Amino acid sequence: MLQQPSHSRFIKRGLIMAGLSFGLFGTTFAQQLKYTAGNNSWNPDSLGNHRVVVTFNGTGNAARVVIPWRRRDENPEAKRIIIQDAKTKGKVTNTKTLSINREQGDIVFEPTSGKGEYYIYYMPYKNEGRSNYPKGVYLAPEETASSNWSQAIPANLKPNATVKEIESVDAFNSYFPMEVIATAAEKKALLLKHPGAGYLLFPEDREFPIKMTDELPQRWIQKGPSQSFKGQADKGEYYAFQLGIYALKGLNDVKITFSDLKTADGKAIPSSQISCINTTGTTYDARPFTNQVNIEEGKIQALWCGIDVPQQAQPGNYLGIVTIKPEGMPAMPVRVYLTVTPKLAVNGGFNEPWKQTRLKWLNSTLAQDNAVIAPYTPLVLKDSVISLLGRKVGINKDGFPSQIQTFFTPEMTEMTDKPRNLLTEAIHFHFISAGDGKDLKWQNQGWKVQSQDAGKITWNALNTAPGLQMEVNAAMEFDGYMEFTVKVTATDEVKLKDVTMHIPFETSVAKYMMGLNQKGGLRPEKIDWKWDVKNKNQDGAWVGDVNAGLQFTLRDEHYVRPLNTNFYLQKPLLLPTSWGNDNKGGITIGLKGKSILANAYTGERTMHKGDVLYYNFHLIVTPFHKLNTDLQWSTRFFHKYQNLDSIKATGATVVNIHHGNEINPWINYPFIEWKKMKDYIDAAHSKGLKVKIYNTVRELSNHAWETFPLRSLGHEVYSPGKGGGFSWLQEHVGKDYIAAWFVPEDKDAAIINSGMNRWHNYYVEGMNWLVQNVGIDGIYLDDVAFDRVTMKRIKRVLTQDGHPGIIDLHSANQYNKSDGFINSGMLYMEHFPYLNRLWFGEYFDYEHNAPDFFLTEVSGIPFGLMGEMLQDGGNPWRGMVYGMTNRMPWSDNADPRPIWKVWDDFGMQGTKMVGYWVDTNPVKTDNPLVPATIYRKEGAVLVSLASWAPEDTNIHLNIDWKALGIDPSKATITAPDVRNFQQGQVFGKDAAIPVVKNKGWLLIIK
């Protein structure tokens, strides 16, 4: 793929960028035009990305030119033509189009400066919509010619101007050579040469990715179909090449097989080292991947193949056979000649991604081992109880949890030996007969361990009831995640009034809740929720207290992770056949007996003999670990690419490099300017700073070298969609995609990732490469489009060999229509075990939500995390109740440095945080709407007050001096002077403290 000059390379075989002419391997064709790159010499946002340079050497007031432009865009006659005088740069208004089609344009214009050059812009557009989600709209034709000029055009005017070249605004926008279409006559002649053929093969080098699926490129007409291919690779290199298939008839189940590659003297590269990413591979979760390739009549399919040349391969010329075989059609062999050089490729060739060497990463299994990740501890199974960091889970004989316990103190800063039970009885199912309304009686044989290691324990159980069999396959991992596959098979016809699963929570534990159409906060007295997957990304809830909680989500065997962050409605949840039951199912939560019962019901149904339903569910036990408050006080993010000395002067310790800047220009593709990034990181390390970069997989920059190989995979990596968006996407990707984030300054246009796919393997390998070659200290995640499998792998590669592996997660508030009304905490809870900090975030309202919302949805504290605020700088008074500040320099008028100074002056390192939610907190106020959190050390305490009262108020402190260990007769209460926060003053121990609405105080008692 042609890339911008910043990362372009001279392409072999005569194709040169940066404004020089493009030749075609020494072959001359009468209509072969010269293609050049314009070095950004015009404004594409008003004139478009493409122009024809025309030379007029005639006389008179009318110039006629026939342009054989061979355009891939549809309906070119519906797009405006703008002609510019090259000498004056003035617009030529007297123009007339005689005919416009995809093959050529016949245009007459007034040569306003006489002889010389003129520019014909043929795809001008304007950007409508939001700047970061533009809609490139191509301008419609317009009539600007005067009637006098038009009538004066000679009726028999012959072409008297010539095409000098076709120019793109830069090399990245060029159509040459793979998007210059063949004419209808050329395609007809090609078919006449191959009568009766079902398909034609066009082997193609990796340097010319196949981009069009509906049109043959002119290059293929000139080369002709072939059954041989030649390439060259270094030892140890992953060598990629393409086989283009042009389907003259519809092709089904196209198979591709490989022979060994052998030299004349018998040396070999075995066929096991050769593969095709379109047909086989390894999924993101380490399962075998297979794909059936079908090609519609008249379509083109690129099959990307890779030869993994062994490092120890002997240099020489290797010959092998690749065989293409569609179902019911003749096989076609392709002879592959590969020259292996004596040179040893560096790092498998991965340092040269323009060679498509990194396509190998799509099938990586890196970091798939289930090794325990710090700070977690190995799982311990004793009798029927599984122990893990801060938690225990007992397993009932039917395979479901009998009890769940946590061992965190209410402060969340320590462990305790005293367990807190989450359940009043075991999690269980009820299958209720439609006949007598009674529960079916289940028989079980106990559960059996299937596998056990430090990171994961799996087990199964078989339960039977009249007419039903229930197979339970379950797993628990070291971070508190549990997965239950519950396969229910009808051994006879069974009519059921209802199927329910009960999670009976201890009433004291079920204090807070989020999910099921509820924002985070105190649990409502009654929840009555129904499935609505078309509109709502909701399939479960989190119920718990600060130091004990449980997330549950309901799924079936067809679950696919939906899109998030503005795109849920384009790929929503699939209604689980079992739990949803044609929308008869739902969930209620409320008091029943001694429990707060979460009751997942499904409604009546009939299961016929042999029917199978999957009542799968996931559980996550929270919290994950203790709060690391010292890390919160010492780790201070600077969220901007800026001069390192100025960053260090702020007191920040970690630099977050967003995308859209000099060292990380392309969204989620930090591999192009990596040398600049490495220089910056090396300099940062020398100054004692760490550097993290923006990199995730929700969307992918159009500057990715692998864009078109990934497009050849259909919808595996890129989601289906309506297309549109920025002009580059419309002009080169064409259609069937979702346009995502766009950076106007860099013309960086991203495409939405489809969800769980092999690009996640690439992502893990890419992170590993960045750690090893660039020295990144972690990543900044801006919402997440992958699941916990990928998150664990990322954490492993980021923390290898003693690297810090810091991960912070930003989320915009997902509780809205476009995101399916999902709580960000619910959506990302499976990732929380591997994060160092939350940044929740855009569209979070810090002014009009209760403290319980802050605690559950924003702070991260019930999960062992701490956070920061973003929207409008947050509320600094309320934030400090949870140990949060805003982040510099992201929000206007939101500078955390004054509070950082308080931390440093007070000496926050080593303090013990005791939140307002802790009953034994020794400092309280006499107004429950003005809670107090303390940060305690020997002989002193920092008190944070924040008001949620509806108006200005006065409060008094209720202090347990003995518990504080401070002599009240010698104590002082001081409000330090904090810029933009509070004016310094001293309060008496019993004084009324005035608190302004929505604000608060930082007080030091010592």
Side-chain angles (χ1 to χ4, degrees), residues 579-802:
W579 297 108
N581 192 17
D582 294 325
N583 290 309
K584 297 175 187 175
I587 298 173
T588 61
I589 300 177
L591 182 65
K592 184 175 183 181
K594 297 181 179 180
S595 305
I596 297 298
L597 181 65
N599 169 49
Y601 63 92
T602 68
E604 64 179 2
R605 73 187 328 142
T606 297
M607 293 186 69
H608 302 285
K609 185 176 182 179
D611 285 354
V612 175
L613 290 170
Y614 283 85
Y615 291 91
N616 300 345
F617 62 97
H618 295 173
L619 303 176
I620 301 179
V621 186
T622 65
F624 300 107
H625 47 66
K626 299 184 297 182
L627 295 177
N628 189 344
T629 54
D630 279 353
L631 184 69
Q632 182 78 350
W633 318 138
S634 63
T635 303
R636 302 172 186 181
F637 291 129
F638 189 94
H639 199 90
K640 192 175 184 180
Y641 171 64
Q642 197 165 297
N643 175 271
L644 289 167
D645 289 327
S646 63
I647 292 175
K648 187 172 179 61
T650 67
T653 63
V654 178
V655 188
N656 269 11
I657 303 298
H658 214 78
H659 67 91
N661 54 67
E662 181 181 352
I663 66 172
N664 193 20
W666 317 118
I667 188 168
N668 299 328
Y669 200 76
F671 305 116
I672 293 174
E673 300 295 350
W674 67 272
K675 291 182 179 179
K676 292 181 181 179
M677 183 183 291
K678 182 180 186 331
D679 290 344
Y680 185 86
I681 291 175
D682 288 347
H685 289 169
S686 72
K687 299 176 187 297
L689 297 171
K690 293 182 172 63
V691 180
K692 298 164 52 263
I693 67 166
Y694 184 113
N695 191 26
T696 181
V697 297
R698 184 183 67 226
E699 61 231 308
L700 179 61
S701 170
N702 61 326
H703 289 75
W705 291 101
E706 297 84 3
T707 296
F708 292 100
L710 297 180
R711 283 283 288 176
S712 80
L713 300 176
H715 295 140
E716 182 194 350
V717 173
Y718 293 124
S719 286
K722 298 178 181 179
F726 182 58
S727 61
W728 190 96
L729 299 177
Q730 298 188 55
E731 292 170 13
H732 298 277
V733 181
K735 53 190 174 183
D736 195 22
Y737 61 89
I738 300 174
W741 190 259
F742 174 71
V743 180
E745 297 81 3
D746 298 315
K747 299 290 191 290
D748 185 32
I751 310 173
I752 284 292
N753 193 296
S754 66
M756 314 312 298
N757 57 70
R758 287 183 293 164
W759 184 249
H760 297 190
N761 292 332
Y762 185 109
Y763 179 61
V764 173
E765 284 279 4
M767 286 295 206
N768 181 64
W769 188 89
L770 289 164
V771 170
Q772 300 297 327
N773 294 277
V774 183
I776 64 170
D777 296 301
I779 53 171
Y780 159 65
L781 295 174
D782 184 5
D783 283 302
V784 177
F786 51 79
D787 72 358
R788 64 189 313 276
V789 173
T790 301
M791 180 61 88
K792 288 188 297 180
R793 298 173 68 191
I794 290 301
K795 193 69 172 182
R796 289 189 180 107
V797 300
L798 288 175
T799 55
Q800 63 185 307
D801 303 325

Side-chain angles (χ1 to χ4, degrees), residues 54-75:
V54 172
T55 302
F56 175 67
N57 285 316
T59 59
N61 206 29
R64 181 184 177 189
V65 63
V66 178
I67 307 168
W69 45 30
R70 299 172 175 266
R71 293 166 59 169
R72 67 166 291 181
D73 59 306
E74 298 177 352
N75 305 313

Side-chain angles (χ1 to χ4, degrees), residues 381-669:
L381 174 60
K382 185 176 181 181
D383 298 326
S384 293
V385 177
I386 302 173
S387 299
L388 62 157
L389 180 68
R391 292 151 289 172
K392 288 184 178 181
V393 178
I395 309 300
N396 205 8
K397 55 186 178 180
D398 58 7
F400 302 120
S402 59
Q403 185 55 271
I404 300 172
Q405 297 177 321
T406 63
F407 294 82
F408 298 92
T409 64
E411 295 88 345
M412 280 298 298
T413 55
E414 304 290 341
M415 298 283 195
T416 176
D417 294 332
K418 184 179 180 181
R420 189 168 189 191
N421 292 340
L422 271 69
L423 306 176
T424 59
E425 59 177 317
I427 295 174
H428 57 277
F429 278 82
H430 293 280
F431 284 73
I432 304 171
S433 171
D436 58 12
K438 295 182 178 180
D439 278 3
L440 298 181
K441 301 297 183 183
W442 288 91
Q443 303 292 323
N444 48 66
Q445 304 169 4
W447 60 286
K448 298 178 181 178
V449 175
Q450 293 298 108
S451 66
Q452 180 177 354
D453 58 38
K456 186 175 184 178
I457 295 174
T458 66
W459 65 92
N460 63 14
L462 181 64
N463 307 302
T464 56
L468 295 174
Q469 175 178 286
M470 177 192 289
E471 298 174 60
V472 179
N473 285 282
M476 182 163 193
E477 298 191 37
F478 59 85
D479 59 1
Y481 174 86
M482 288 183 279
E483 182 174 9
F484 293 85
T485 301
V486 183
K487 180 181 179 182
V488 176
T489 304
T491 56
D492 205 345
E493 182 170 296
V494 180
K495 294 184 178 181
L496 298 167
K497 181 179 180 180
D498 203 356
V499 177
T500 67
M501 182 180 74
H502 285 178
I503 305 177
F505 287 94
E506 288 277 0
T507 55
S508 64
V509 166
K511 183 176 182 180
Y512 303 104
M513 174 185 165
M514 61 177 158
L516 303 182
N517 228 30
Q518 298 295 315
K519 292 198 302 182
L522 291 173
R523 176 187 51 79
E525 183 178 341
K526 181 70 174 178
I527 295 291
D528 189 355
W529 172 88
K530 297 283 291 183
W531 290 92
D532 181 15
V533 296
K534 182 179 179 181
N535 301 297
K536 293 178 179 177
N537 185 9
Q538 299 173 2
D539 59 3
W542 173 82
V543 177
D545 200 353
V546 173
N547 62 339
L550 187 69
Q551 184 195 51
F552 64 91
T553 50
L554 309 180
R555 297 170 181 179
D556 69 3
E557 77 277 23
H558 300 300
Y559 174 81
V560 176
R561 195 180 194 276
L563 296 181
N564 61 288
T565 315
N566 301 322
F567 299 104
Y568 173 76
L569 298 178
Q570 298 191 50
K571 185 183 177 183
L573 280 168
L574 302 173
L575 182 70
T577 305
S578 52
W579 297 108
N581 192 17
D582 294 325
N583 290 309
K584 297 175 187 175
I587 298 173
T588 61
I589 300 177
L591 182 65
K592 184 175 183 181
K594 297 181 179 180
S595 305
I596 297 298
L597 181 65
N599 169 49
Y601 63 92
T602 68
E604 64 179 2
R605 73 187 328 142
T606 297
M607 293 186 69
H608 302 285
K609 185 176 182 179
D611 285 354
V612 175
L613 290 170
Y614 283 85
Y615 291 91
N616 300 345
F617 62 97
H618 295 173
L619 303 176
I620 301 179
V621 186
T622 65
F624 300 107
H625 47 66
K626 299 184 297 182
L627 295 177
N628 189 344
T629 54
D630 279 353
L631 184 69
Q632 182 78 350
W633 318 138
S634 63
T635 303
R636 302 172 186 181
F637 291 129
F638 189 94
H639 199 90
K640 192 175 184 180
Y641 171 64
Q642 197 165 297
N643 175 271
L644 289 167
D645 289 327
S646 63
I647 292 175
K648 187 172 179 61
T650 67
T653 63
V654 178
V655 188
N656 269 11
I657 303 298
H658 214 78
H659 67 91
N661 54 67
E662 181 181 352
I663 66 172
N664 193 20
W666 317 118
I667 188 168
N668 299 328
Y669 200 76

Side-chain angles (χ1 to χ4, degrees), residues 141-407:
E142 62 176 354
E143 292 291 337
T144 60
S146 70
S147 58
N148 290 337
W149 177 82
S150 297
Q151 293 170 8
I153 298 174
N156 61 348
L157 180 66
K158 302 294 184 184
N160 56 3
T162 58
V163 175
K164 178 183 179 183
E165 59 195 336
I166 291 184
E167 196 172 27
S168 55
V169 69
D170 58 19
F172 187 61
N173 278 276
S174 177
Y175 283 132
F176 186 82
M178 298 306 295
E179 298 171 274
V180 178
I181 69 169
T183 65
E186 290 168 342
K187 287 189 285 186
K188 182 178 180 180
L190 176 70
L191 297 180
L192 288 174
K193 290 181 182 179
H194 303 277
Y199 59 101
L200 300 177
L201 293 182
F202 294 88
E204 192 60 82
D205 191 82
R206 60 194 178 184
E207 293 165 354
F208 303 107
I210 296 168
K211 300 178 180 180
M212 299 188 296
T213 58
D214 297 315
E215 296 289 340
L216 289 173
Q218 181 191 25
R219 171 181 166 85
W220 284 4
I221 298 296
Q222 296 164 348
K223 290 174 54 179
S226 175
Q227 289 180 245
S228 68
F229 176 77
K230 293 181 179 180
Q232 178 176 299
D234 298 330
K235 296 189 299 179
E237 179 181 341
Y238 181 81
Y239 180 81
F241 65 97
Q242 309 161 85
L243 295 176
I245 303 177
Y246 178 34
L248 306 182
K249 302 176 182 178
L251 306 179
N252 294 318
D253 195 15
V254 179
K255 303 288 188 185
I256 182 168
T257 56
F258 306 93
S259 75
D260 295 345
L261 297 176
K262 294 183 177 180
T263 63
D265 58 357
K267 298 180 180 67
I269 298 173
S271 61
S272 59
Q273 297 291 106
I274 314 172
S275 61
C276 174
I277 65 170
N278 301 84
T279 58
T280 58
T282 304
T283 64
Y284 80 97
D285 53 356
R287 293 178 290 113
F289 170 88
T290 58
N291 178 55
Q292 182 173 310
V293 175
N294 302 318
I295 312 173
E296 296 178 24
E297 181 179 344
K299 299 288 187 179
I300 295 166
Q301 171 68 51
L303 296 182
W304 278 88
C305 305
I307 302 172
D308 203 1
V309 181
Q311 289 189 10
Q312 66 275 18
Q314 293 296 316
N317 297 314
Y318 290 76
L319 170 64
I321 301 294
V322 178
T323 303
I324 302 294
K325 175 67 171 68
E327 183 181 78
M329 300 192 72
M332 196 175 295
V334 178
R335 295 176 299 281
V336 175
Y337 301 89
L338 181 69
T339 299
V340 176
T341 75
K343 179 183 175 183
L344 181 63
V346 177
N347 199 13
F350 300 145
N351 293 4
E352 299 178 291
W354 52 91
K355 294 182 177 179
Q356 304 294 356
T357 49
R358 295 181 181 183
L359 291 178
K360 180 182 178 180
W361 288 357
L362 290 175
N363 296 315
S364 171
T365 59
L366 180 66
Q368 285 285 12
D369 63 291
N370 212 41
V372 177
I373 299 169
Y376 301 101
T377 54
L379 294 170
V380 176
L381 174 60
K382 185 176 181 181
D383 298 326
S384 293
V385 177
I386 302 173
S387 299
L388 62 157
L389 180 68
R391 292 151 289 172
K392 288 184 178 181
V393 178
I395 309 300
N396 205 8
K397 55 186 178 180
D398 58 7
F400 302 120
S402 59
Q403 185 55 271
I404 300 172
Q405 297 177 321
T406 63
F407 294 82

